[in-house]
Amino acid sequence: DAGVIQSPRHEVTEMGQEVTLRCKPISGHDYLFWYRQTMMRGLELLIYFNNNVPIDDSGMPEDRFSAKMPNASFSTLKIQPSEPRDSAVYFCASSLGTGGPQHFGDGTRLSIL
Amino acid sequence: QKEVEQNSGPLSVPEGAIASLNCTYSDRGSQSFFWYRQYSGKSPELIMFIYSNGDKEDGRFTAQLNKASQYVSLLIRDSQPSDSATYLCAVMFSGGYNKLIFGAGTRLAVHP
């Protein structure tokens, strides 16, 4: 079975540019999560969705970050404008049902110059 | 503030030994507990999950949960060099609606 699919795997862009990260959850999963991982702060939850509806976005660092889930098989995380401190690995994860284990995608390594 | 604490390590064990990884959490009402393995440059991979007090075994891995002490551990028997990775403890806090809080991870090094 296909796992969580993220694109792109790597993104290098200049400060001020818009960045869009994409995620396809495991088919049938009803929860989708966006995380950011850095050496300093570890793995942080940014936002998560249940049945395409955002449930908790308290981890979104600021208004430059936005996330959408237009349907059950696709989500985007957008950063506009990007800044060097946004450089990190961004993971998408999905899970099924309340309390179900989360399965992670391979991540997007983002570098903002 | 809901917290998950892990010793950052590195925890160094010889090949064939038992590796014991520990995690404490702050919310007594937490119900679900997960262990993930993360190799350098890779994504977290689910190893075990446990919901009830006691032990849960899966191959060389055993998860142990003690809710009264707010303590969860992962034992790896017959450790192999391929087990060398960072192990992340994650807790689903009560009222968290599927939200996981991750510990900072323990780096395990298994030497031949």
Side-chain angles (χ1 to χ4, degrees):
Chain A
D1 289 341
V4 176
I5 299 172
Q6 293 186 244
S7 65
R9 292 294 308 277
H10 303 273
E11 176 87 13
V12 180
T13 191
E14 293 188 346
M15 181 174 64
Q17 297 298 307
E18 179 178 290
V19 173
T20 299
L21 310 182
R22 297 172 175 80
C23 176
K24 176 178 169 59
I26 293 172
S27 178
H29 281 193
D30 54 350
Y31 284 87
L32 183 139
F33 306 81
W34 282 101
Y35 290 90
R36 178 172 67 177
Q37 187 174 41
T38 61
M39 289 293 292
M40 289 294 294
R41 300 176 67 89
L43 195 59
E44 301 175 281
L45 177 66
L46 300 177
I47 185 171
Y48 76 97
F49 297 82
N50 178 218
N51 291 323
N52 314 338
V53 176
I55 301 301
D56 184 344
D57 65 354
S58 60
M60 296 286 261
E62 46 198 280
D63 291 346
R64 297 185 297 106
F65 286 69
S66 62
K68 293 182 180 179
M69 191 166 186
N71 57 63
S73 58
F74 184 66
S75 177
T76 59
L77 178 68
K78 201 168 282 191
I79 308 173
Q80 167 63 18
S82 57
E83 296 183 3
R85 60 193 168 119
D86 302 330
S87 298
V89 182
Y90 290 80
F91 290 107
C92 176
S94 70
S95 68
L96 175 63
T98 301
Q102 295 179 21
H103 299 271
F104 283 74
D106 288 338
T108 296
R109 186 171 296 274
L110 178 64
S111 296
I112 309 297
L113 306 178
Chain B
Q1 180 78 344
K2 295 180 176 177
E3 295 182 338
V4 177
E5 300 284 344
Q6 294 182 258
N7 188 320
S8 63
L11 174 65
S12 182
V13 301
E15 184 174 356
I18 295 175
S20 178
L21 304 161
N22 305 314
C23 173
T24 59
Y25 57 95
S26 60
D27 182 8
R28 186 174 292 275
S30 299
Q31 296 295 320
S32 305
F33 307 86
F34 304 85
W35 283 100
Y36 287 82
R37 177 176 64 196
Q38 188 174 26
Y39 293 113
S40 180
K42 301 295 186 181
S43 62
E45 174 192 8
L46 182 68
I47 297 297
M48 296 279 291
F49 56 90
I50 186 167
Y51 302 138
S52 303
N53 271 334
D55 294 0
K56 179 181 178 182
E57 188 175 315
D58 184 1
R60 295 187 297 113
F61 298 97
T62 298
Q64 298 176 317
L65 175 61
N66 184 327
K67 291 186 178 180
S69 300
Q70 296 172 231
Y71 177 94
V72 58
S73 64
L74 179 70
L75 301 178
I76 306 175
R77 289 181 299 282
D78 189 23
S79 296
Q80 301 297 310
S82 59
D83 295 325
S84 299
T86 296
Y87 289 80
L88 300 168
C89 173
V91 177
M92 191 173 293
F93 287 94
S94 56
Y97 303 103
N98 273 28
K99 182 175 173 176
L100 285 182
I101 305 296
F102 281 82
T106 297
R107 190 154 56 90
L108 173 66
V110 182
H111 54 86

